[in-house]
Amino acid sequence: CLKEPKFLDFFFKQMRANDLDEGRAHKEEGYGFLSPCGRELNFVRAADTAVVFTQLSEGRLFYAPTLSVHYDKTALSVSDEGRVYHPAPNALGGHALVGSALIDAQIAPAIT
C-alpha cells in the first residue's frame, strides 16, 4: 500500500505544516508536518524537508507519482553541507531536497 501511486499522491497532496493544537506535542517531538486522512492524522517527521524530489521529466521535478513543480535550474540552492534544494509548494515548507541519485543522473550533467 505504501508504494501505490494513488496512495502516495493522496498522502502528499494532503500534507501540510503541523499547525493543529492537538498536534502541538507531536510538533515538539519533531513531527513538523501532517497528512490528514478522514478522521486520522498522520504525523510526519522529516529528516530534512517534507518531501524529496526524485524524478525530473519534461521540465518538472516530481515528489510523488503525479505531483510536481516546474524545474528552474536557476532556483537551485546548495547548503553548507552540500545538499541541493529547489523551491516546493509552500504547504510543504517552500523548498525540498533534490535526491542525490537525481542530481548525479540528470541535474549535474546538465549544469556542468
Side-chain angles (χ1 to χ4, degrees):
C1 173
L2 295 178
K3 292 186 179 184
E4 291 181 23
K6 188 175 180 180
F7 169 78
L8 290 171
D9 281 341
F10 176 80
F11 184 85
F12 287 113
K13 196 177 289 185
Q14 298 292 104
M15 189 180 289
R16 58 188 167 91
N18 176 5
D19 58 0
L20 298 177
D21 286 339
E22 58 266 25
R24 186 177 310 133
H26 294 293
K27 188 171 187 175
E28 292 169 0
E29 294 172 9
Y31 294 90
F33 296 89
L34 62 89
S35 180
C37 180
R39 296 186 328 205
E40 181 178 300
L41 295 175
N42 298 291
F43 291 93
V44 178
R45 179 180 6 213
D48 190 350
T49 60
V51 296
V52 176
F53 294 114
T54 58
Q55 183 181 356
L56 173 62
S57 178
E58 299 180 7
R60 307 224 27 110
L61 279 172
F62 287 82
Y63 57 94
T66 66
L67 302 177
S68 65
V69 298
H70 172 73
Y71 172 59
D72 177 4
K73 69 180 179 182
T74 65
L76 293 171
S77 61
V78 181
S79 71
D80 292 339
E81 296 81 21
R83 293 181 176 186
V84 178
Y85 299 91
H86 187 277
N90 287 336
L92 299 174
H95 70 282
L97 184 66
V98 179
S100 58
L102 176 57
I103 292 169
D104 292 344
Q106 291 180 274
I107 293 178
I111 59 175
T112 56

